[in-house]
Amino acid sequence: MKKKTVIILKKFLAVSFAIVLGLCGSACQWCPHRDADDNGKCDICSVELTDNKDKCETCGGVLTDGKCDVCDKDVTEENDKCETCGGALKDGKCDVCDKDVTEENDKCETCGGVLTDGKCDVCDKEEPEKPEHVLNGKKIIFIGNSYTYYGQTVLEKSQSVLKQEARSNDKGYFYQLCKANGAEVNVTNWTFGGHNFNYLFSGSCAANRGCDGVDHASYLTDRNYDYVVMQPGSGVDADTNYLTEAKNIMNFFKAGNPNTKFVALVSYSCYGTIGS
């Protein structure tokens, strides 16, 4: 009879407690959660103590004031869990595996382990640096005609612009593609409409494009290039001197840099027609 009176009194107090705070749901937030009669409900606020929200994440014990009355550990939210083992964190350190909390960018790219001072504590490797792009810092010259600049691989220049400096630092699509992939290159645009190799390197231009008699090659005072991209004229099939001219161009630039690499650019189509 005495025990029943105590239980009735406790429930009366619980109701009073809820009325003072407004709602029972609000009362549960501060309720110490005690279950003296072992009926699975809190004697004060009647909340089901078996709900996950009232259990310790570490051992499953009942929580009192946010602390487990079994293992005496503070309740942890999802972002207070150790990424390595899932244990609870205390002062930023896991009480299970004793490792500091790490963000995603503190993980080793090789094995996924935690980085300490830039070194992985699993595979003992330092974070690898990304390799430099093979074209970064390289000098590249495009030799050809409108078949090259028509699609803005390099930007079209007036036929009257002859000086090498004025044709350097071209910002056409080739430069932009390199830039987007982490390579800063210096591009020289040595393309003239209607010109083939013979007109550009014969010593006296005969292209009949307002530059007759001009020695284009004499304006190339700097021959030190890492790459030379050569695009011949449209009449390459009929030009029996193509290979001879290409070799002369290669020797011309190798005099400035013996390590220069050469690329043969053959335009398949331009201006809506199939070229030769």
Side-chain angles (χ1 to χ4, degrees), residues 179-195:
K179 182 81 171 178
N181 285 277
E184 184 66 37
V185 296
N186 186 307
V187 179
T188 298
N189 171 11
W190 205 251
T191 61
F192 297 81
H195 286 57

Side-chain angles (χ1 to χ4, degrees), residues 44-60:
I44 301 175
C45 67
S46 297
V47 70
E48 293 283 349
L49 292 182
T50 55
D51 290 349
N52 287 333
K53 63 182 178 179
D54 296 316
K55 282 186 175 182
C56 173
E57 293 182 4
T58 305
C59 71

Side-chain angles (χ1 to χ4, degrees), residues 57 66 90 109 117-118 150 155 179 202 206 220 255:
E57 293 182 4
K90 189 173 183 181
E109 292 184 359
D117 298 328
Y150 179 71
L155 302 177
K179 182 81 171 178
S202 65
L220 286 169

Side-chain angles (χ1 to χ4, degrees), residues 123-142:
C123 66
D124 201 40
K125 293 178 181 176
E126 292 188 3
E127 195 76 17
E129 293 185 3
K130 292 183 179 179
E132 185 180 29
H133 196 286
V134 67
L135 292 181
N136 191 46
K138 302 300 183 182
K139 289 175 61 180
I140 302 164
I141 185 170
F142 281 81

Side-chain angles (χ1 to χ4, degrees), residues 182-228:
E184 184 66 37
V185 296
N186 186 307
V187 179
T188 298
N189 171 11
W190 205 251
T191 61
F192 297 81
H195 286 57
N196 56 31
F197 290 164
N198 183 52
Y199 298 152
L200 292 172
F201 290 91
S202 65
S204 180
C205 182
N208 194 25
R209 292 297 182 101
C211 51
D212 290 359
V214 171
D215 183 1
H216 291 281
S218 67
Y219 289 93
L220 286 169
T221 55
D222 178 12
R223 305 182 192 182
N224 183 14
Y225 282 93
D226 297 292
Y227 292 90
V228 176

Side-chain angles (χ1 to χ4, degrees), residues 2-240:
K2 184 177 180 181
K3 183 177 180 180
K4 187 175 181 180
T5 303
V6 171
I7 292 173
I8 293 173
L9 180 61
K10 284 183 177 181
K11 288 188 176 182
F12 173 78
L13 291 173
V15 174
S16 301
F17 188 87
I19 293 173
V20 171
L21 292 174
L23 292 171
C24 185
S26 300
C28 292
Q29 186 176 352
W30 295 279
C31 181
H33 297 315
R34 294 297 183 189
D35 184 17
D37 56 3
D38 296 325
N39 66 352
K41 290 185 179 181
C42 175
D43 299 329
I44 301 175
C45 67
S46 297
V47 70
E48 293 283 349
L49 292 182
T50 55
D51 290 349
N52 287 333
K53 63 182 178 179
D54 296 316
K55 282 186 175 182
C56 173
E57 293 182 4
T58 305
C59 71
V62 180
L63 301 175
T64 304
D65 298 329
K67 204 164 189 179
C68 178
D69 55 6
V70 176
C71 68
D72 199 39
K73 290 179 181 175
D74 289 333
V75 186
T76 58
E77 298 295 334
E78 198 65 34
N79 56 0
D80 291 325
K81 284 185 175 181
C82 174
E83 293 184 1
T84 305
C85 70
L89 301 175
K90 189 173 183 181
D91 298 327
K93 206 162 190 180
C94 177
D95 55 5
V96 177
C97 67
D98 201 40
K99 290 178 181 174
D100 289 333
V101 187
T102 60
E103 298 295 334
E104 199 65 32
N105 57 0
D106 291 325
K107 285 186 176 181
C108 174
E109 292 184 359
T110 305
C111 69
V114 180
L115 297 176
T116 305
D117 298 328
K119 205 165 188 179
C120 178
D121 55 3
V122 177
C123 66
D124 201 40
K125 293 178 181 176
E126 292 188 3
E127 195 76 17
E129 293 185 3
K130 292 183 179 179
E132 185 180 29
H133 196 286
V134 67
L135 292 181
N136 191 46
K138 302 300 183 182
K139 289 175 61 180
I140 302 164
I141 185 170
F142 281 81
I143 297 170
N145 50 46
S146 60
Y147 275 32
T148 295
Y149 70 63
Y150 179 71
Q152 297 189 347
T153 298
V154 291
L155 302 177
E156 181 180 0
K157 285 279 189 181
S158 169
Q159 305 278 62
S160 61
V161 178
L162 300 173
K163 291 186 177 181
Q164 185 175 11
E165 184 179 359
R167 287 180 165 271
S168 299
N169 297 309
D170 187 273
K171 297 296 192 288
Y173 283 150
F174 181 80
Y175 169 84
Q176 294 176 39
L177 180 63
C178 291
K179 182 81 171 178
N181 285 277
E184 184 66 37
V185 296
N186 186 307
V187 179
T188 298
N189 171 11
W190 205 251
T191 61
F192 297 81
H195 286 57
N196 56 31
F197 290 164
N198 183 52
Y199 298 152
L200 292 172
F201 290 91
S202 65
S204 180
C205 182
N208 194 25
R209 292 297 182 101
C211 51
D212 290 359
V214 171
D215 183 1
H216 291 281
S218 67
Y219 289 93
L220 286 169
T221 55
D222 178 12
R223 305 182 192 182
N224 183 14
Y225 282 93
D226 297 292
Y227 292 90
V228 176
V229 183
M230 303 184 295
Q231 173 256 308
S234 58
V236 64
D237 286 344
D239 190 356
T240 57

